Amino acid sequence: TGHSTKKTSSACSDIHFISLILVYFSDSIIVYGDTMSGKTMLAKQVVLSLSRQGVLPVYIDCSSEKGHSIIQLIDRAYKEQYGQQDEYLNLPPSKLAVVFDNIHELKLPRKTVGEILKELDRRIDKIIIFSGEQLSMLQSTDSALLEEIVDAYDCYDIMPFNHLQRLQMIGKWADYHYSSIQEQERDALIADSERKLEALLGRSLVPKYPFYIGLMLQAIAMTKENVSQRQVGTYGGLYD
């Protein structure tokens, strides 16, 4: 793959579309995002998009894995997710894809992670990594190899939306879902949706990241009830 580039998430509300962009346009990807930015949501959608292409993706949540090598994690995930006993890395590389979620929580030295990623790159066609930290900033005494590997990845950041970006997203959502309504009705819909979103965001019930805003707009489209009055989830959010 080419040299890594820094990009931010666009105003696109369709997480499926974003996952297709990641899947089709690069084989080696790192997506950075803060806690509650929607990394895991996007990672699982990427797995679904890959499987629809006839690939056998394995999903590994590194935050819940302790005391295993990455190779062991891959083989175990394949057997658990597909019910197969074959060795995953012995399959044709074109059929393979690994999605690492929360790789920054993997308890391995950076040099070790770098060596493993370099080896996997030769044996697997697609490697997609989701991380809460810049991999080159992880604590270790030897980082040159990992930085070399990371430089070969396309890198993306999931960024929170500001007020103007949210307005643009609401406008595109209204144009897509309500293209047949009159302009006055459209403006009223946008104003009402903006008020509901601002109420949720102001009470910290929804993170200010595009995926969650998209989910709330979908909820508004599916129901006439006041979304700000819906029951909150386990962690105080409507998105749980």
Side-chain angles (χ1 to χ4, degrees), residues 19 30 33 109 175 202 218 226:
S19 72
I30 301 175
D175 289 340
Q218 289 176 13
N226 188 332

Side-chain angles (χ1 to χ4, degrees), residues 67-221:
H68 296 88
S69 71
I70 289 182
I71 303 299
Q72 289 175 326
L73 293 180
I74 292 173
D75 274 328
R76 191 178 73 179
Y78 173 62
K79 291 171 182 176
E80 290 177 354
Q81 294 167 27
Y82 293 93
Q84 301 292 330
Q85 296 303 314
D86 301 330
E87 296 297 326
Y88 185 70
L89 295 177
N90 289 336
L91 298 174
S94 61
K95 300 288 291 183
L96 308 184
V98 177
V99 178
F100 292 106
D101 196 9
N102 298 308
I103 199 171
H104 61 287
E105 297 189 29
L106 195 62
K107 305 303 182 183
L108 291 173
R110 281 193 291 173
K111 182 177 180 181
T112 303
V113 175
E115 290 171 343
I116 293 172
L117 290 178
K118 190 172 183 178
E119 172 65 19
L120 291 179
D121 191 52
R122 291 194 291 264
R123 303 172 66 180
I124 296 176
D125 266 17
K126 287 186 180 291
I127 300 175
I128 301 177
I129 296 171
F130 290 83
S131 179
E133 300 177 28
Q134 298 286 328
L135 295 188
S136 58
M137 298 299 292
L138 299 182
Q139 295 299 318
S140 179
T141 58
D142 190 339
S143 62
L145 178 59
L146 181 55
E147 290 176 357
E148 175 188 340
I149 299 301
V150 169
D151 280 343
Y153 279 69
D154 289 324
C155 298
Y156 296 80
D157 278 329
I158 302 175
M159 305 293 290
F161 273 3
N162 58 35
H163 180 72
L164 177 59
Q165 290 170 320
R166 292 197 295 273
L167 281 178
Q168 292 172 339
M169 186 173 184
I170 294 171
K172 291 184 178 182
W173 164 79
D175 289 340
Y176 180 79
H177 287 284
Y178 303 96
S179 57
S180 61
I181 65 176
Q182 299 295 319
E183 182 175 354
Q184 184 175 0
E185 189 178 356
R186 173 188 178 275
D187 292 342
L189 173 67
I190 290 175
D192 181 59
S193 300
E194 180 187 359
R195 283 194 298 271
K196 290 176 179 178
L197 276 178
E198 291 301 319
L200 294 169
L201 295 170
R203 292 162 59 191
S204 299
L205 291 174
V206 179
K208 297 180 180 180
Y209 290 93
F211 304 139
Y212 296 103
I213 295 172
L215 289 175
M216 291 302 101
L217 290 174
Q218 289 176 13
I220 292 172

